[in-house]
Amino acid sequence: MNGPANSEPSGIPSGMQEEYDDEVLDARRARWSASGTGALLALAGLAAAALRLSGSAPVLVPAAYALGAAVCALAAVLGSRGRTRRALWLLIAGVMVMALGDQFD
């Protein structure tokens, strides 16, 4: 052993290492949340579009649901790549487009 027993192998003090680990954990949690929520909303939008397409709703209704689902799927992709702020705004926009389709119904 070349150094003292309590030396850090990475050269980062233990207090800063814990803060860094917490930030990494928070970023990972945000990525998983954004990608999971985007995928779930995209599936819900596609299911709603399929149900409305088979019914007697105007064509604009399933198109709005499908467009909202596509925006949410894009948000899921961006969230998985770490662009969580953009993913959040795209999720909001996608849900608003799906809500607009619901208003047309």
Side-chain angles (χ1 to χ4, degrees), residues 46 54 66:
L46 286 177
S54 64

Side-chain angles (χ1 to χ4, degrees), residues 19-41:
E19 289 178 21
Y20 177 75
D21 290 342
D22 289 341
E23 290 175 5
V24 169
L25 183 63
D26 288 343
R28 184 176 297 136
R29 189 176 300 132
R31 283 194 305 267
W32 276 101
S33 296
S35 59
T37 304
L40 184 67
L41 286 172

Side-chain angles (χ1 to χ4, degrees), residues 41-84:
L41 286 172
L43 286 175
L46 286 177
L51 286 173
R52 298 292 189 242
L53 191 61
S54 64
S56 62
V59 177
L60 189 59
V61 174
Y65 279 118
L67 180 63
V71 171
C72 288
L74 177 64
V77 170
L78 286 177
S80 69
R81 293 185 178 185
R83 305 289 187 186
T84 53

